[in-house]
Amino acid sequence: MGCFFCWIVVSFQRGIAREIEAQNKWAQRVEMSYFFVLSADDALLRSPSSSRTRTSMRPTLALQVRGGGLGLLMCSHLPRKSVVPAPLSRRAVPIYRPNHSPYYVGLDRVREDPYDRVANPHGVIQLGLSDNKLCLDLIEDWMSKHFESSAIGGGDFAMYQPFDGMPEMKLAMAGFMSKVLGGTLSFDPSNVVLTAGATPAIEILCFCLADHGNAFLVPTPYYPGFDRDMTWRTGVEVIPVHCRSADSFTLSITALDQAFDQAMKKGLKVSGVLISNPSNPVGNLLSRDMLCNLLEFAREKNIHIISDEIFAGSVHGDAEFVSMLEILDLVEYDKGRVHVVYGLSKDLSVAGFRVGAIHSYNEDVLAASKKLTRFSSISSLTQRLLVPMLTDSGFINTFLGTNRDRSRETYKLFVEGLEQLGVNYLDSVAGSYCWVDMGGFMSSYSEKGELELWEKLLEVSKVNATPGSACHCAEPGWFRCCFTTILKDDIPVVMDRINKVAKLCKHAR
Amino acid sequence: MVGCSSDGDGSKVLSKIAMNGGHGEDSPYFEGWKAYDNNPFHPTQNPNGVIQMGLSENQLCFDLIEDWIKNNPKASICTADGVENFRNITNFQDYHGLPEFRQALAKFMARIRGNRVEFDADRIVMSSGCTGASETLMFCLADPGDAFLVPSPYYPAFNRDLRWRTGVQLIPISCHSSNNFQLTLSDLESAYSKAIESGVKVKGLILTNPSNPLGTTSDVDTLKALLEFTSRRKIHIVCDEIYSATVFAPPVFTSISEVMREVECCDPCFVHFIYSLSKDLGLPGFRVGVLYSYNDAVVSTARKMSSFGLVSSQTQLLVASMLSDGDFVERFLGESPRRLRDRHRKFVEVLGRVGIGCLKGNAGLFFWMDFRKFLEEETFEEEMRLWRVIVHDIRLNVSPGSSFGCAEPGFFRVCFANMDEVTADVALGRIGAFVTRWHGDKNLRLSFKSLKSGDENNNSLSMTSPHVMSPRSPVVIARN
């Protein structure tokens, strides 16, 4: 007993591995399937206590070193594999490594065990994905009335189309964006480049605006996906600029300035600032003044601004969304340094259709982005479906209005539930989520305490909410809870479950 | 709205990637496109326009696809029968893709290979066309500065797709007309050794099979030899099999996946291929690409990267349904090669009658035309001059061999599957007329000799930047 062992699996596997500390107990043979390693000098060892490796895996060979002996464990259903793993590129290795971010882990858990009031009432409730399911019925209804106009068949739509979007789609998107980003703005389709979702739009802009090793300033907390979109393949670095609860997590130019100076001192070249407005995960809006100050800051430092405005049409509170483009409209200079990212995943609920857009006044950015859309193009089938929908003004106006009303209603119910539990939240006005302060339930005011709470929420009460640390929040205890993926009737269930954890935590103290 | 350049208003600095010529659009390959776009042929509206023969698009069987879609309304969410699926897929952005989509693709790809091999749906990673798949593979397998060997002539857009954002180098291995442009082991070995000696890190070999631009398939022995070569040196082999179902004449297509089990030293971890529905099914607008790897780590990594180019869930649903229809697949895979063969034969026979030779091809949407006899000198300058005559005078946009990196001047890739019969006849007529005039008219040869690039007759070709596309013209940059 008390033997020290380590597992080293010498071939590649698919799936998730967890880092472990040396254990002094024997791992279950049945859990052998969870093991694999990347390379000899990068052994990823697994914790036998892991309960999270559920994706299918096929281990081949495990070398078990125990005490002074060497054991060889062979598993069944082995594909023929080389003992020495074929090398990935160096840049692929960090991407290959399992992502332990709670954001992704939580999404996986829901995928494995999704809540359904009837079919799976004990499943994991999804509050971690900012999809909008509130108004799908409206879209379905529109489609039912317009089968002909969006029907497939006839024409050359299946042939090659401009990678940056069919002209009619660009026109339709430009029109929709002008409704959502600011009714007085009018968008020229030639300033719009369409992409397969906002994800590649962000990546394309980073490729265009920054070289490998350059940096972007990004106010925190921020959408966890930015780390992927901005850094994975571009080599760009993200410099977090922390915002505080004392300021309601609003961006401060002073903080930006300090971050910029610090970057310079470290020899990092800052290429720009990336903001999300409405903010994700906080759900607040940047004021006109702040936007002007930001533009001024960017001009002073001669850097770009990427403004991710994907939630522009998701304002549910009494506030007015102001787009960066509206500020630009008032000035005659610096138009070339601002680039807006938009998409239909949130405001129009069609995340699966992969529709994103870049708007820029910078001809060079447009030219380069257009060419880069060959790697991330919208399906012509989908464009054909969406053009008549987006250009149906009556429908779009009704949709946006109803979406706002339903979001507001659901948000109100959600926060009322939180209030009843005595849980604080930041009163937000936009987005499909609520920024909730569960710090009171943590065992310690630290990231560790937050992650423990997150794990309890996920494993014990089966609620997937995104902890602030996944969003690089400087203050522990905050969670993003999306309310547009659940039904109204499920809100009491959610509150019940949160309450369960709350009691558990109070007990523990 | 007024645009501005980076030099003027706004931030002055863009990235190197944005400002370098890595997109390759300054290549003459794209000039012909621009000429077409300025003056596109139409049988009635513009009968003297330029006929597009530089775009490798398969329009011969779209009627079969269209019929299937009309007869299977449930597959489309915008029909009464199909709209019930809408809610299931509208929010679906899981990068694993719909399981039925991957399963249908696996079945389809196996069927193309005569079911001689099976594919694991879990190894299929989706991408935005083969373009996305090829770039993603480079990100996974190579670092900036690393190199891949590629037999030339090769698809020109590889220079952009594989290199632009990835920083990977391509080392061409010249193939020669003396042996029908087949890649020889000695050429491969020599190119590899040379690269290693010069300190370049060679990560693998890219093979397009069936070949673009040659229109030929690699034989089994060659594939085995290549696989053995790469396996022994522990480098990757990436096969672009995008034209796998366009094989219309013997020999039957052999995929790298079939050869693997016959090469003892083969390590599956180094074998990958890419595929797409753009050519075989003629659906480039759908942006359906596949990255298939026998390496679990590559599958896992590529899948994560596929977030940058997911296939629309609406399209996944339709494709899943279509490719699961066994009857349709059988009918399509029987009919499409037949139509390709007939069209190919028509061109080759007519050209043969006027003394123009082509490489004996059995696949693809194009043939490799030998125009060397029309060169006064065996130089690439001559080839470009000849090409400008073909585009400007004969008014056919064909692609010069130099744009494919061909080592010998005088060859052109001519696409034949992107037009109807009427247009094909017109194109053939024009070539025939040109050849007749060439033989009979010394003045024509002289005037051809005096043509320089950029002279007043070729204003339409002196542009270097794309103009606004006409609605019917193909995109400037397309897979072909």
Side-chain angles (χ1 to χ4, degrees), chain A residues 88 99 264 461:
Chain A
L88 290 178
N99 194 331
M264 297 288 277
S461 51

Side-chain angles (χ1 to χ4, degrees), chain B residues 19-41:
Chain B
M19 303 308 289
N20 70 18
H23 49 76
E25 269 188 48
D26 303 326
S27 139
Y29 177 67
F30 297 107
E31 276 187 46
W33 293 60
K34 295 159 195 170
Y36 165 80
D37 188 61
N38 275 349
N39 185 20
F41 171 83

